[in-house]
Amino acid sequence: MNTDNFNYRTGERFADIELLRYRLKGWQQLTLRQKQYIYCQAKATLYGRDITFDQFGRKNLKIRRTLEAVCQWNVETSQQQDSDAQLLTTYLKRVWFSNGIYHHYGTEKFMPGFSADYLWQQMQQVPASWLPLSDGQSMRQLFDEIRPYIFDPKTEPRRVNKADGDDLIATSAVTFYDGVTQQEAEAFYAARKQEAKDDPQPESFGLNTTLVKAATVAADDKPLNATPRIVEQRWCAKGKYGAAIRKIVFWLRQATQYAENEQQQKVISLLCDYYETGDLKTFNRYCTAWVQALDGQVDFVNGFIEVYNDPLGLKGSWEGIVEYVDQEATGRTELISRNAQWFEDHSPVDERFRKPVVKGVSARVVRAAMLGGDEYPSTAIGINLPNADWIRAQYGSKSVTISNLTEAYDQAARGNGFKEEFIPDESTRQMVYRWGDLTDDIHTDLHECLGHGSGQLLPDTDPDALKAYGNTIEEARADLFALYYIADRKMTELGLLPSAEAYKASYYTYLLNGCMTQLTRIKPGHNIEEAHMRNRALIARWVLAHADGAAELTKLEADGRKTITALVIHDYPALRLLFGRLLREIQRIKSEGDYAAARLLVEQYAISVEPELHREVLQRYEALNLAPYKGFLNPRLLPVRDSQGNITDISIDYGETYYEQMLRYSRQYATLI
């Protein structure tokens, strides 16, 4: 494919999703050794796929394989593709995209358009060897096993439930807990933390385990007592997910021979040791080595990392990304990082909550080379790790902005009519056209490079004190940091923004998204569930509620033909003061672990949806015929060999379709079923 005329849009769209491609610009400037390093890391990334599927629902893997078998059989036998067959294929595509049967963003179960009778009819035509039958299981038993999870809206209806007052474990479908209640899980980890209260380098308790209530069993398999005990099953090479983890470790060790330096080799060795044992002390050593590994062009994330999919915010979903430096754009983030202490010292938060000395802030702009697990097909555009507060305090953090993903989003959005529909004022729209893409990038840089790494907890504050509200509060803290500073004159002094007025584009689009346009991703009658969406709603709604005339949602006559709801901003500088005021309170909540205040803010501003506004936004958006969600196909990395079998290059193939890629991944990287 000619990358000078690279087509970011694949033309593939289903349900509420559009698939894009991302370009590996600068690939030919990498050395063969660097390409081989990326290739091996990419393999390690793809082998984690089944873990994520299993984490996101107990029957996901069986459902995926069953649907794949039916679809493949229909294709191979040239079965007529009637409407039910097409609906089944669409459902399978959604399962692939979401790593299971729950919406990747809203976390609610999505329902199939075909009937249970149709699926049973189709399954009976498929060879039994193609189906994921357990030992001794009949085809009918398999169907009865998966049927309620696909067709019954009341059977485990949400992947993650965070509704205040519910038992969040009992009402969430993720498989991080087995047989325990929320109260029991919280008591278990509270006791673990109490035992380690004097440890200056505490473990990330629960990050890589399933918490199980298991009866104590005697030799004759009869319970010794009536009181089960609660234990953790480790996710490691010899434990749960071992078959997948052993493949990941194999390819990580293969990557070692192509590493760019000894520090990268050390990082991989520690990660492999952690995967072999599941020991979280080893994970701490890996994280501290990884955050200090700054030399070289290639880096990766691989493991049980983010806790957004655990209703208690403890357990890590498996994810992988392989990346290489975008040399052209990295100067921007390095400049921000070099000034990290200035930003910390001038923060509007209470001095008690600022870091006296900012350590180890490193930031780069990178290009993704492979996405996996919870980062595929839908992925973040920025990353700040590690998550442990004590590591951030002592060693700093790594931040990346992923330029080829934002580039793909930007290119796909050009000329789609969205801005014309939701920004009716011509002068505001021109401002957003002029500065919007740049300020979006700067916002992401500030959010990831400095926002997440700013501030500090008070000495006795439990990092998990905010419980189910912690992820929303943390994302709000990083966003508010970015919003406050993007309007600072420091931005123009450093040459990051070309004009002191440019920040206004960021303010307008952020508030518009938080209070209106992100509602295109919510079904009628539903609340906001995802942490990033809650964060944006919290900030936008709080600011509008306290704006005192500086900004408002109001009714306008548009094009002389209809009355629409629009965001109007009258006083941009006043908004900056409000962002600073809310940042001050959010940082206090985080630093003090004030659960009650976090709960009040999130419940009041971040969750509910105003029905009339929602209906209007959905109607206007529907007329544009756009997909509210986008995700990515991975490029295919292919070794090129000479006549003696030696690898002389790693080529890139962008031509694979979504259907082809997902079936290939299920063939090549299936490990758990």
Side-chain angles (χ1 to χ4, degrees):
M1 179 177 292
N2 183 355
T3 57
D4 291 333
N5 298 299
F6 189 82
N7 188 2
Y8 296 89
R9 309 189 83 151
T10 65
E12 298 197 52
R13 181 174 167 181
F14 52 92
D16 54 359
I17 293 160
E18 180 184 5
L19 272 300
L20 306 176
R21 296 184 185 89
Y22 59 93
R23 179 171 59 156
L24 273 60
K25 186 178 179 181
W27 181 258
Q28 293 308 321
Q29 281 68 59
L30 298 174
T31 67
L32 175 59
R33 184 184 182 92
Q34 288 169 328
K35 292 177 184 178
Q36 290 173 300
Y37 185 45
I38 290 173
Y39 176 80
C40 294
Q41 290 285 1
K43 287 284 192 179
T45 292
L46 295 174
Y47 267 113
R49 182 174 184 247
D50 277 6
I51 298 176
T52 309
F53 268 88
D54 187 77
Q55 288 181 320
F56 286 2
R58 67 188 74 252
K59 302 301 177 184
N60 280 340
L61 287 169
K62 281 199 169 185
I63 291 170
R64 187 192 79 195
R65 185 168 165 187
T66 299
L67 296 173
E68 288 172 345
V70 169
C71 285
Q72 287 181 272
W73 179 254
N74 286 342
V75 170
E76 293 197 10
T77 58
S78 301
Q79 296 289 322
Q80 183 178 358
Q81 291 295 299
D82 59 17
S83 59
D84 281 330
Q86 293 170 10
L87 289 168
L88 190 147
T89 300
T90 296
Y91 182 77
L92 173 57
K93 288 181 177 181
R94 298 190 73 182
V95 169
W96 283 332
F97 193 90
S98 297
N99 292 298
I101 62 174
Y102 302 94
H103 194 279
H104 72 287
Y105 220 75
T107 80
E108 74 277 2
K109 182 189 292 188
F110 45 80
M111 303 305 295
F114 54 91
S115 68
D117 288 343
Y118 176 77
L119 178 60
W120 171 235
Q121 177 190 23
Q122 295 298 299
M123 286 177 63
Q124 292 177 83
Q125 300 180 45
V126 176
S129 61
W130 288 29
L131 295 170
L133 300 172
S134 303
D135 289 343
Q137 187 179 41
S138 70
M139 192 179 294
R140 181 71 200 195
Q141 288 171 327
L142 170 63
F143 172 73
D144 289 340
E145 179 185 357
I146 65 176
R147 176 176 53 186
Y149 292 89
I150 299 174
F151 296 100
D152 183 1
K154 296 181 180 179
T155 299
E156 299 194 350
R158 299 202 71 87
R159 188 180 77 227
V160 184
N161 177 38
K162 296 184 179 180
D164 189 35
D166 289 352
D167 183 318
L168 302 184
I169 289 177
T171 55
S172 296
V174 285
T175 61
F176 302 136
Y177 305 92
D178 186 359
V180 300
T181 66
Q182 178 181 348
Q183 184 178 11
E184 289 171 331
E186 289 178 343
F188 179 89
Y189 287 113
R192 295 286 306 277
K193 290 175 183 177
Q194 181 62 27
E195 293 171 0
K197 63 183 177 64
D198 296 324
D199 187 348
Q201 300 182 351
E203 300 175 15
S204 299
F205 292 112
L207 184 70
N208 65 334
T209 61
T210 303
L211 193 64
V212 178
K213 185 182 287 186
T216 304
V217 180
D220 58 359
D221 290 338
K222 294 180 180 179
L224 289 173
N225 55 63
T227 305
R229 61 195 181 98
I230 297 176
V231 297
E232 289 185 297
Q233 295 178 341
R234 285 188 179 183
W235 307 335
C236 61
K238 295 182 180 179
K240 189 173 182 179
Y241 302 135
I245 290 172
R246 289 191 291 274
K247 288 288 190 180
I248 294 169
V249 169
F250 172 84
W251 282 103
L252 288 172
R253 295 201 187 281
Q254 290 293 109
T256 304
Q257 62 186 307
Y258 304 113
E260 298 174 277
N261 51 61
E262 291 184 2
Q263 182 67 10
Q264 288 181 348
Q265 292 176 335
K266 177 183 177 181
V267 167
I268 295 172
S269 178
L270 285 168
L271 179 56
C272 291
D273 289 348
Y274 160 64
Y275 270 140
E276 295 282 1
T277 64
D279 182 2
L280 287 172
K281 289 292 187 184
T282 304
F283 181 68
N284 282 346
R285 291 194 291 274
Y286 156 71
C287 287
T288 56
W290 176 83
V291 82
Q292 295 176 89
L294 302 177
D295 294 333
Q297 300 301 303
V298 182
D299 207 349
F300 69 95
V301 174
N302 186 301
F304 306 105
I305 309 294
E306 300 291 2
V307 297
Y308 297 105
N309 291 294
D310 177 8
L312 302 190
L314 297 172
K315 300 189 177 295
S317 304
W318 194 91
E319 67 179 59
I321 296 181
V322 189
E323 65 205 33
Y324 60 99
V325 173
D326 181 340
Q327 297 284 10
E328 296 177 12
T330 289
R332 185 182 72 225
T333 53
E334 290 178 340
L335 181 59
I336 290 172
S337 298
R338 288 197 298 271
N339 287 273
Q341 191 67 59
W342 184 93
F343 287 100
E344 187 77 4
D345 293 344
H346 291 81
S347 172
V349 307
D350 191 298
E351 188 174 355
R352 294 179 300 150
F353 310 138
R354 299 181 201 154
K355 288 179 177 175
V357 179
V358 178
K359 296 181 180 179
V361 175
S362 66
R364 289 177 168 180
V365 179
V366 302
R367 298 186 179 105
M370 193 60 63
L371 308 171
D374 195 21
E375 293 291 348
Y376 168 82
S378 177
T379 187
I381 58 172
I383 297 169
N384 179 275
L385 292 172
N387 288 326
D389 284 289
W390 72 266
I391 297 178
R392 290 174 176 274
Q394 293 184 30
Y395 298 97
S397 63
K398 273 186 187 176
S399 299
V400 298
T401 302
I402 309 176
S403 63
N404 55 347
L405 302 187
T406 57
E407 178 183 61
Y409 282 130
D410 291 343
Q411 292 295 325
R414 295 191 185 282
N416 65 8
F418 182 87
K419 291 183 177 68
E420 286 74 12
E421 176 59 41
F422 287 99
I423 310 177
D425 176 65
E426 177 65 22
S427 62
T428 302
R429 192 161 59 240
Q430 290 304 319
M431 174 186 69
V432 171
Y433 279 135
R434 184 178 183 184
W435 289 317
D437 289 350
L438 174 60
T439 55
D440 282 350
D441 288 343
I442 297 296
H443 177 98
T444 302
D445 292 342
L446 290 169
H447 174 111
E448 299 293 350
C449 301
L450 301 182
H452 279 307
S454 66
Q456 63 180 355
L457 302 181
L458 294 183
D460 296 327
T461 297
D462 179 356
D464 302 313
L466 303 184
K467 302 180 182 178
Y469 301 107
N471 292 329
T472 298
I473 292 297
E474 175 57 23
E475 292 303 323
R477 193 176 71 91
D479 261 354
L480 286 163
F481 186 100
L483 289 164
Y484 179 77
Y485 276 117
I486 200 168
D488 198 285
R489 63 183 182 183
K490 192 73 170 178
M491 293 293 102
T492 52
E493 289 177 4
L494 293 175
L496 294 167
L497 290 179
S499 167
E501 301 294 305
Y503 78 93
K504 294 179 180 180
S506 177
Y507 277 20
Y508 191 91
T509 55
Y510 189 93
L511 291 179
L512 179 68
N513 189 28
C515 66
M516 280 186 64
T517 55
Q518 72 170 2
L519 297 179
T520 60
R521 298 180 167 190
I522 305 294
K523 291 183 178 180
H526 286 216
N527 287 330
I528 301 172
E529 299 289 346
E530 199 274 336
H532 296 80
M533 292 182 72
R534 285 186 169 188
N535 139 54
R536 291 189 288 267
L538 188 162
I539 293 172
R541 293 169 175 180
W542 185 95
V543 166
L544 289 179
H546 295 82
D548 194 24
E552 60 180 335
L553 287 182
T554 188
K555 295 290 186 179
L556 294 178
E557 292 290 332
D559 302 326
R561 57 184 173 84
K562 60 181 178 178
T563 301
I564 61 169
T565 303
L567 172 68
V568 177
I569 297 179
H570 303 287
D571 188 344
Y572 284 91
L575 295 183
R576 189 193 184 209
L577 297 178
L578 289 171
F579 289 134
R581 178 176 152 195
L582 184 56
L583 174 58
R584 183 180 180 90
E585 173 61 6
I586 291 282
Q587 182 64 63
R588 183 199 66 78
I589 289 170
K590 170 88 173 181
S591 295
E592 295 181 349
D594 189 343
Y595 174 82
R599 178 178 178 271
L600 183 64
L601 269 179
V602 175
E603 292 292 334
Q604 183 174 356
Y605 293 105
I607 297 175
S608 63
V609 178
E610 199 281 304
E612 184 177 346
L613 176 63
H614 194 196
R615 279 194 297 272
E616 178 192 335
V617 169
L618 290 177
Q619 289 172 358
R620 292 164 64 184
Y621 190 78
E622 184 179 8
L624 299 174
N625 193 30
L626 301 176
Y629 298 98
K630 293 177 174 59
F632 293 96
L633 293 183
N634 280 323
R636 191 172 185 180
L637 304 182
L638 300 169
V640 177
R641 300 179 184 274
D642 62 18
S643 57
Q644 284 75 45
N646 300 311
I647 294 177
T648 59
D649 197 7
I650 305 292
S651 68
I652 307 169
D653 176 14
Y654 295 108
E656 199 169 31
T657 69
Y658 178 64
Y659 191 80
E660 291 167 344
Q661 184 161 107
M662 289 298 187
L663 284 180
R664 180 171 64 84
Y665 284 0
S666 292
R667 290 193 307 271
Q668 293 185 359
Y669 302 106
T671 54
L672 301 181
I673 192 169

